Each structure stands twice: as structure tokens, then as C-alpha cells.
Amino acid sequence: MMGPMRRRPRVAGPAGVALAVAVAVMVMVAVTVGAPAPRAAVRVHGAGSDHAATTTSIPTSSAPVVDVTADTGTGGYWLAASDGAVFGFGAPSLGSAAAVALASPVVGMAATSDDGGYWLVAADGGVFAYGDARFAGSMGAVHLDQPVVSMAVDRATGGYWLVAADGGVFAFGAPFEGSAGALRLHAPVVGMAATRDNGGYWLVAADGGVFAYGDARFAGSMGAVHLSYPVVGMAADADGSGYWLVGADGGVFAFGAPYEGSTGALVLDRAVVGMAATADGGGYWLVGADGGVFALGDAVFRGSVSVLPLAGLTVVIDPGHDGGNGASPGIIDQPIDGGGLTEPCDTTGTETDNGYTEHAFNFDVALRAQSLLQAEGADVVLTRPTDTGVGPCVNQRAAIANALRAAVAVSIHADGGPPGGVGFAVDTPVGVVSSISNNLAIVGPSTQLAAILRDAFESATGEPPSNYTGQDGIVFRSDLGGLDLSTVPKVLIECANMRNAHDAALVQNPQWRQLAAQGIAAGLEQYLQVAERT
Ligand SMILES: [Zn+2]
């Protein structure tokens, strides 16, 4: 039998209607006579709803949570974060990889049959064993074509299986029962669960497709239904006959297992990333990347993790120019292709009448913004490590953020405008396609970023939008290689006009530079939180 599928009601318009119809048809076909009536979630707890009551007891994680594993002995659970940290709730702490410099993020976790230990698995196939969990091998030393995404335990042998995104299964101290590695998958595999007698396992792909091996029974899938949110994990029911799939929005799909509710009706801060069933299969926990835990059915809420808001996100800050540029015209005057536009490698920047340089201002504000964003959990990379070097060229500055697939990038500058001009401006890209670049995909997000950053900067500093360039503090630019070459959302902020006496006094005041950094950091954070939810 199969439970109903609840989707997020906020989906509107033709696509949402089509999905609802498709799901409804599927439910009618699939539900067998005598299936129990669907139950609403009896208990729903998340980090958001419980913060007020238990703030002091909520541990903080600087990395996103990636999985939840049940301690079937105690009824508690463990949460694992991508940096290897493990948080036990009603479950003993047996060790973690938080102090280890991981080559690759942790992506999954599994417990031993007596719950006296657990394993963590990283994307590179590395396995870490704690408590009475036995290390039986890993893929950590082997180059994998596709990252490992999940693991499951063979309770009969104490061994385990790893599964990669391409469906390849790696067995360690456990029988190999088959894999999807040779199939042409429509979507990557994202999760794995073992049967209770450990004679088999299921794999699930992001499109809801399910693959059964050994004595695992295929009880249905979402593979033929268009999903608004990808499936991110699965859990096996205790009686071995079925399983649940969970989507990034917390929607739960039950196949041969009782539907106990979902978070599909809630608006989540961050995507659901994992699922674990209770010992008797009468409930399950869902966990979000933000550490929020949702206990459904007979699963008991024992606590959650507060993940720093920008954990797992990479921000690139590009302090314009460099201190050594002025003495190295042979380098910085070299022409580069800025995306169909030839421009110099870099420039020296401007300075105030009394000689306070733009590169020094840019670098100081960048360091301050970096510190603020790191405190929120972001990985912050500067395009230059000091204020005494030369360059890098503007195309390389863009390439740094592109290579890191940064969630957002910002170039920090101060302008050399007319002496009578006051205020700041945010330069935002317009679409430019060249033989070496195409920034069309970032124009929309960058425009949104520009407006958010403009508001945040004005609010933090009190500095007005420029009275000599752009419109309301926004300038659309097609002539900046740093924006034309970017493949990540990016803008450039001219924080003030260094050639204006009023603004020149501001930029030389460290307290104002801190306000400028606060405005930039706040703008980026607000943008990232909007971007994460859409
Ligand atoms: Zn500049």
C-alpha cells in the first residue's frame, strides 16, 4: 500500500496544477483496498519552531548537516555535517571527523546493528569508523568518476556498501548484489537503504527512480512523475517490505510502508537532505541542511543543530587593484580579452587628494567583510592575499570565482569621480556573449544582488546613492571584464568617491570602513538567503 503524497502548496500556476493532477492519478491507481487513511503529521519539530524554547542547548555547526541516522537502541539519532562533525541526540557521541582536514566532504552516515558505533562516508569514498563500527575498506585511495553519495550497513556481516552518483556500488565486508553503474540514468543516484535481513538493497535517484537488488523488493517509485523538488534520500521500513523516499522540500513518498507525514506544507530555510526510520518503522525523522529535525509518526524529537546561515557557501571578494600595480606597468598594462573587449590586465586605481590609495581602502574593507562573512559560516576567498602584490589581471579575478563555483562574488572599489560628486554605486552586468564568455545566466541574479546590496550598503553606512552616475545607485555595465567573464552572480561596488572631499574623509575613517564592510556583508548574506530558498 502506498500513502498519499503531499507537495508544497505554494506551487502555483500551470506547472503546479499539472503536477497535482499527475500525483492524484498515481495515488488513485496505487492505493490498495484497505490501505489505512493517511495521517497528518502528529509531531513536527524543526530548528525554527524550537529555537525559542531550547536555544541554550542547541549545538552550532559551521558546516551544513548532510544526514541523519537512527540509534534504534535508544530511539535517538545522530546528525552528520559535511565537515565530519557528528551530533548525538539521545544517542552517544562516539567520535567524529570534525578535527580531521577532510579531502572531501562527508555525505552520509550509518550505524552498526547494536548502535554501538557508526561510520561516516565522504564524497571521495573515504570511510571513517567509530565505536564498535569496523573499518572494512574504502574507496578513498581510488579515483572515482562520480562522487560517493550514500552508504548502507549489512547488519548480517557488519560490513557496508557505498553507492556513487552514477549508481556504482562498492561492497566492503558485505555481498555485492548488483549496481546501476552500467545503466544510463536519467538522474544521479542520491541514496541507498538495505533490507532488514541484509540480503539486498535499494538505490534511489534524484528523479525518484528506485533500483532494487538482492532480496530487496521493488515496491514502486516516482521515476515516472515529474517532481518539483529532487529526491534526496530514502529509508527502509522495519518489516522489509517497503521504503520511503524524501524530497528536498521534505515531501515524503511511501511505497509498501506507512505514510506518517511530511514537511511539504512548511517553508523550510534550507533543503531537506536526509531521512532515517524508527526501529519499528512507525515513523521517521527528516533533517535539513540547516540542522532542523522533523520527527514524524512515532519518531521522537530529541534536538537539532543550528547551522551557521552561510555554512557550505563560497563567497569570493575581489579587492580592486593591488599595491604593487603602480610600479609594474609592464604587467598591468598588458592587454587581456575581457569577454570580447580588450582592456588592460589591471589598473592602479585612484586615491584621495592627500594620498590615501584606493587599493588600500579596497583591501581593508575586503578583509573586514571577509571576517564578518566567515563568522556567518561562509568560505570566503579573496582574489589577492595581500595589498603589496601585482594584479592579478581582471580576467583571472573572474576565473577565481568561476573555478570555485562561488555562490556570489563582489568586487570592492572606490571611485575617482568628479570632485563635486558624492555617493556610492553598484555596477551590475548586462548580458555579453563573446567567443570566450557568456554571462547571460548571471544577469538576473546579479541584478537582484545589486538591488539588495545597494539597500544594505546605504542602510549600514548612511552614504547616499551616487549623484553623478547610474540610477538610484545602480549602474548597468557591459564594459567590465570582471563582470562580462563571470559565471557566478557578481557585482562591483564603488563605495564612495575618493575625489570628493566629503567622501574622502569617510574612506580614511576605519570606523566608516567597518560600516562599509558591514553593509557589503549584509547585502551578500541577504542575497544568499534569498537565493538559497529559490
Ligand atoms: Zn577601482
Side-chain angles (χ1 to χ4, degrees):
M1 59 211 158
M2 178 177 150
M5 286 142 289
R6 289 195 354 196
R7 306 302 304 172
R8 233 160 153 170
R10 70 176 182 153
V11 176
V17 171
L19 173 66
V21 170
V23 169
V25 168
M26 190 163 171
V27 169
M28 291 174 65
V29 170
V31 170
T32 56
V33 175
R39 279 199 281 149
V42 284
R43 234 176 271 110
V44 178
H45 299 276
S49 60
D50 277 49
H51 266 169
T54 54
T55 296
T56 53
S57 65
I58 295 179
T60 298
S61 175
S62 55
V65 167
V66 295
D67 206 0
V68 56
T69 302
D71 180 343
T72 53
T74 65
Y77 47 85
W78 294 279
L79 305 183
S82 66
D83 64 355
V86 174
F87 303 91
F89 298 96
S93 290
L94 302 172
S96 84
V100 179
L102 297 175
S104 182
V106 165
V107 294
M109 183 181 193
T112 60
S113 55
D114 66 356
D115 300 302
Y118 45 73
W119 297 267
L120 300 176
V121 62
D124 64 359
V127 172
F128 307 88
Y130 301 94
D132 67 0
R134 184 171 58 88
F135 179 79
S138 81
M139 298 300 287
V142 180
H143 172 76
L144 300 175
D145 289 338
Q146 294 281 318
V148 166
V149 294
S150 186
M151 75 181 297
V153 172
D154 181 351
R155 291 174 182 247
T157 65
Y160 44 83
W161 299 278
L162 312 182
V163 63
D166 61 2
V169 172
F170 309 99
F172 296 97
F176 177 78
E177 302 285 356
S179 84
L183 300 179
R184 188 177 295 273
L185 299 175
H186 298 295
V189 167
V190 294
M192 182 180 203
T195 60
R196 287 296 160 133
D197 65 357
N198 302 112
Y201 43 78
W202 297 272
L203 309 181
V204 64
D207 64 358
V210 172
F211 308 91
Y213 300 94
D215 70 355
R217 188 176 68 87
F218 178 79
S221 81
M222 297 300 288
V225 179
H226 174 75
L227 301 175
S228 295
Y229 295 84
V231 167
V232 295
M234 74 182 302
D237 189 9
D239 67 7
S241 63
Y243 42 83
W244 300 274
L245 312 182
V246 63
D249 64 340
V252 172
F253 311 99
F255 298 98
Y259 175 76
E260 300 290 352
S262 77
T263 68
L266 302 177
V267 175
L268 306 177
D269 284 349
R270 295 279 280 267
V272 165
V273 293
M275 177 181 205
T278 60
D280 66 359
Y284 38 78
W285 297 272
L286 310 180
V287 65
D290 64 357
V293 171
F294 306 90
L296 298 152
D298 68 2
V300 176
F301 178 78
R302 299 288 192 94
S304 61
V305 172
S306 177
V307 174
L308 292 174
L310 301 184
L313 298 175
T314 299
V315 174
V316 168
I317 300 179
D318 172 34
H321 318 288
D322 204 340
N325 283 6
S328 304
I331 297 173
I332 67 162
D333 290 347
Q334 288 287 321
I336 57 106
D337 185 344
L341 183 83
T342 300
E343 61 186 289
C345 158
D346 205 3
T347 52
T348 57
T350 187
E351 63 182 33
T352 64
D353 279 350
N354 62 348
Y356 179 64
T357 61
E358 184 200 342
H359 62 77
F361 170 82
N362 297 342
F363 193 68
D364 183 73
V365 173
L367 289 178
R368 294 170 186 270
Q370 178 184 39
S371 174
L372 293 167
L373 290 163
Q374 284 173 337
E376 298 296 307
D379 293 322
V380 184
V381 174
L382 266 54
T383 55
R384 56 181 171 99
T386 70
D387 193 40
T388 55
V390 179
C393 299
V394 291
N395 54 346
Q396 292 167 333
R397 293 173 189 249
I400 289 168
N402 295 349
L404 290 168
R405 294 198 172 106
V408 68
V410 62
S411 289
I412 298 177
H413 287 253
D415 202 12
V422 178
F424 75 95
V426 181
D427 293 349
T428 191
V430 299
V432 175
V433 177
S434 77
S435 62
I436 63 163
S437 66
N438 180 338
N439 73 350
L440 297 180
I442 69 154
V443 170
S446 300
T447 304
Q448 184 180 34
L449 166 64
I452 293 172
L453 178 60
R454 183 260 325 268
D455 293 348
F457 191 84
E458 182 174 7
S459 173
T461 63
E463 179 78 345
S466 173
N467 66 3
Y468 63 92
T469 185
Q471 183 78 38
D472 295 329
I474 305 288
V475 190
F476 290 94
R477 300 283 293 263
S478 62
D479 60 333
L480 296 173
L483 301 181
D484 295 347
L485 296 171
S486 185
T487 58
V488 304
K490 184 178 182 183
V491 295
L492 182 156
I493 183 166
E494 301 276 11
C495 294
N497 178 13
M498 296 186 88
R499 308 301 304 156
N500 172 272
H502 171 264
D503 281 8
L506 294 180
V507 297
Q508 293 176 77
N509 179 343
Q511 287 159 352
W512 191 84
R513 293 200 295 272
Q514 183 66 20
L515 296 178
Q518 286 170 4
I520 292 167
L524 296 181
E525 180 172 356
Q526 287 166 30
Y527 165 77
L528 289 169
Q529 290 180 340
V530 169
E532 280 297 299
R533 290 176 201 193
T534 54

